[in-house]
Amino acid sequence: MIVSWVTMDEPGSSEVVYWKEDESSVKKYAHGKHKSYKFHDYTSGYIHHCTIRKLEHDTKYYYEVGIGHTVRRFVFTTPPPVGPDVPYTFGMIGDLGQTFDSNITLTHYEKNPRKPQALLFAGDLSYADNYPNHDQHRWDTWGRFVERSVAYQPWIWCAGNHELDFVPEIGETQPFKPYLHRFHVPFKASGSKYTPQYQWLKTELTKVNRTETPWLIVMLHSPWYNSYDYHYMEGETMRVMFESWLVDAKVDLVIAGHVHGYERSERVSNVAYNIVNKQCSPVKNQSAPVYLTIGDGGNVEGLANKMTEPQPEYSAFREASFGHAILDIKNRTHAHYSWHRNQDGYPMEADTMWFYNRYWHPVDESRSN
Ligand SMILES: [Fe+2]
């Protein structure tokens, strides 16, 4: 578990004190590091990252960061041991930002009766870059905004375009500088050493043991199947490069953000084209993933409300509303999926689907057949 926090005035300590719920007298200590960065006229606080290792599965831990009168205590529960029929519930949010709508999305996520245990975040976090000179205080305020969830359960993110913070006109030429300083991911666990993405992905897909972890989920930012007028076909170069790998690996679902609306695709692929055979349209494919666009977190740029018409056949459901989604994994064959809109009550499900696992139960689950 990676614990990250910021101390504004002094470095203090990068240590995390933690203990099991039922063993409060046995305190353990993990040692992290801190760093800071400058961006234009801004200097960050001391950004601490500390990895806690050798945690037990399915266990509630208390943990504390800070020194003296600044100590703050939180709690998290570790995931269950891996196994073919272990239930687990993921939330999914993309393009959250920090607006009134973002706040409603996060509240609905926290109040969701399916009780998500970890969050998959599909990129575009703070939207600091929408403020003058990419106002870095917006990264700090975003951290404070999401603390109420991320301090208590794991969130994992992929980078979106709003993490780039490349601004040569004010002398900022190191891409992803704020993001890389602030938001760590467990890339070392996969053996990555800043490995080129295509090399990493090709190897990583072959490593998944579907008996241990039956569900294969891929997360990226710019959607490959998107029928909104916004960002139309921006993911095309990535799709052309990687789509056949995902189909071969029988990926269950792909989560993307970027487009500020919601969309769910049929199981389709578009991998037959060889330049001369004219087979360049998406076709139904039961080995292909379902593509979910959940860029509807509620950021400052507002909703994407223009769509390509008529709705393409590959698009199963689309709606320009803010919300979040839940993947409720039941066992190796079945997972219940739901999309929750901010304008509805907390338990309401505006779009649902039973996912059948592509490796263990590759049966057509589409309702449109
Ligand atoms: Fe984006």
Short mmCIF file of all heavy atoms in Angstrom, two decimals, residues 38 77-78 95 110 112 130 136 204 242 246 251 269 277 297 333:
data_model
loop_
_atom_site.label_atom_id
_atom_site.label_comp_id
_atom_site.label_asym_id
_atom_site.label_seq_id
_atom_site.Cartn_x
_atom_site.Cartn_y
_atom_site.Cartn_z
N LYS A 38 9.38 22.63 -7.99
CA LYS A 38 9.01 24.02 -8.32
C LYS A 38 8.31 24.02 -9.66
O LYS A 38 8.64 23.21 -10.55
CB LYS A 38 10.27 24.89 -8.42
CG LYS A 38 10.95 25.14 -7.07
CD LYS A 38 12.10 26.13 -7.26
CE LYS A 38 12.98 26.24 -6.03
NZ LYS A 38 12.27 26.63 -4.82
N THR A 77 -8.74 -1.14 4.74
CA THR A 77 -8.83 -2.60 4.79
C THR A 77 -8.15 -3.17 3.56
O THR A 77 -8.41 -2.72 2.44
CB THR A 77 -10.31 -3.05 4.83
OG1 THR A 77 -10.92 -2.47 5.98
CG2 THR A 77 -10.44 -4.56 4.90
N THR A 78 -7.27 -4.14 3.76
CA THR A 78 -6.54 -4.72 2.64
C THR A 78 -7.46 -5.66 1.85
O THR A 78 -8.43 -6.19 2.39
CB THR A 78 -5.32 -5.51 3.13
OG1 THR A 78 -5.76 -6.40 4.16
CG2 THR A 78 -4.25 -4.59 3.67
N ASP A 95 -12.03 11.91 -15.03
CA ASP A 95 -12.18 13.34 -15.32
C ASP A 95 -12.92 14.07 -14.21
O ASP A 95 -13.87 14.81 -14.46
CB ASP A 95 -12.90 13.53 -16.66
CG ASP A 95 -12.19 12.81 -17.80
OD1 ASP A 95 -12.21 11.57 -17.80
OD2 ASP A 95 -11.60 13.48 -18.66
N GLU A 110 -19.27 7.63 -2.56
CA GLU A 110 -19.12 7.21 -1.16
C GLU A 110 -20.40 6.59 -0.60
O GLU A 110 -20.34 5.71 0.25
CB GLU A 110 -18.74 8.43 -0.29
CG GLU A 110 -17.35 8.93 -0.56
CD GLU A 110 -17.08 10.22 0.19
OE1 GLU A 110 -17.85 11.19 0.04
OE2 GLU A 110 -16.10 10.28 0.94
N ASN A 112 -22.66 4.95 -2.34
CA ASN A 112 -23.18 3.86 -3.17
C ASN A 112 -23.37 2.60 -2.31
O ASN A 112 -22.43 2.13 -1.66
CB ASN A 112 -22.22 3.56 -4.32
CG ASN A 112 -22.88 2.68 -5.38
OD1 ASN A 112 -23.38 1.61 -5.07
ND2 ASN A 112 -22.91 3.16 -6.60
N ASN A 130 -6.29 24.22 -16.13
CA ASN A 130 -7.31 25.15 -16.64
C ASN A 130 -7.26 26.50 -15.93
O ASN A 130 -8.07 27.37 -16.20
CB ASN A 130 -8.71 24.55 -16.48
CG ASN A 130 -9.04 23.59 -17.61
OD1 ASN A 130 -8.21 23.33 -18.46
ND2 ASN A 130 -10.25 23.08 -17.61
N GLN A 136 -0.68 25.62 -9.45
CA GLN A 136 -0.36 24.37 -8.75
C GLN A 136 -1.08 24.23 -7.42
O GLN A 136 -1.17 23.13 -6.87
CB GLN A 136 1.16 24.27 -8.55
CG GLN A 136 1.92 24.15 -9.86
CD GLN A 136 1.58 22.87 -10.62
OE1 GLN A 136 1.84 21.77 -10.15
NE2 GLN A 136 0.97 23.01 -11.80
N GLU A 204 2.98 -7.69 -20.06
CA GLU A 204 2.06 -7.71 -18.92
C GLU A 204 0.83 -8.56 -19.22
O GLU A 204 0.37 -9.32 -18.36
CB GLU A 204 1.66 -6.27 -18.58
CG GLU A 204 1.03 -6.08 -17.22
CD GLU A 204 1.96 -6.37 -16.06
OE1 GLU A 204 3.19 -6.45 -16.27
OE2 GLU A 204 1.45 -6.53 -14.94
N PHE A 242 -2.84 -1.52 -30.35
CA PHE A 242 -3.02 -2.44 -29.22
C PHE A 242 -4.26 -3.31 -29.26
O PHE A 242 -4.37 -4.27 -28.49
CB PHE A 242 -3.06 -1.66 -27.89
CG PHE A 242 -1.78 -0.96 -27.54
CD1 PHE A 242 -1.81 0.27 -26.89
CD2 PHE A 242 -0.55 -1.52 -27.83
CE1 PHE A 242 -0.64 0.93 -26.55
CE2 PHE A 242 0.63 -0.87 -27.49
CZ PHE A 242 0.59 0.35 -26.85
N LEU A 246 -5.49 -6.96 -26.96
CA LEU A 246 -6.53 -7.06 -25.94
C LEU A 246 -7.54 -8.15 -26.30
O LEU A 246 -8.04 -8.87 -25.42
CB LEU A 246 -7.24 -5.71 -25.77
CG LEU A 246 -6.63 -4.77 -24.72
CD1 LEU A 246 -5.16 -4.54 -24.93
CD2 LEU A 246 -7.38 -3.44 -24.67
N VAL A 251 -9.53 -9.66 -22.81
CA VAL A 251 -9.77 -8.62 -21.81
C VAL A 251 -11.28 -8.47 -21.61
O VAL A 251 -12.05 -8.46 -22.56
CB VAL A 251 -9.14 -7.28 -22.26
CG1 VAL A 251 -9.61 -6.12 -21.40
CG2 VAL A 251 -7.62 -7.39 -22.26
N SER A 269 -14.81 -5.61 -32.18
CA SER A 269 -13.40 -5.41 -32.51
C SER A 269 -13.31 -4.88 -33.93
O SER A 269 -14.27 -4.97 -34.71
CB SER A 269 -12.63 -6.73 -32.38
OG SER A 269 -13.03 -7.62 -33.40
N ASN A 277 -8.18 -5.08 -47.77
CA ASN A 277 -9.33 -6.00 -47.73
C ASN A 277 -10.66 -5.33 -47.39
O ASN A 277 -11.68 -5.98 -47.29
CB ASN A 277 -9.05 -7.17 -46.77
CG ASN A 277 -8.92 -6.71 -45.33
OD1 ASN A 277 -9.13 -5.53 -45.01
ND2 ASN A 277 -8.57 -7.63 -44.46
N GLY A 297 -17.05 12.63 -14.56
CA GLY A 297 -16.83 12.94 -13.15
C GLY A 297 -17.33 14.32 -12.71
O GLY A 297 -17.63 14.53 -11.54
N THR A 333 -17.13 -16.09 -12.97
CA THR A 333 -17.94 -15.98 -14.19
C THR A 333 -18.77 -14.71 -14.28
O THR A 333 -19.03 -14.23 -15.38
CB THR A 333 -18.89 -17.19 -14.33
OG1 THR A 333 -19.72 -17.25 -13.16
CG2 THR A 333 -18.11 -18.49 -14.49
#
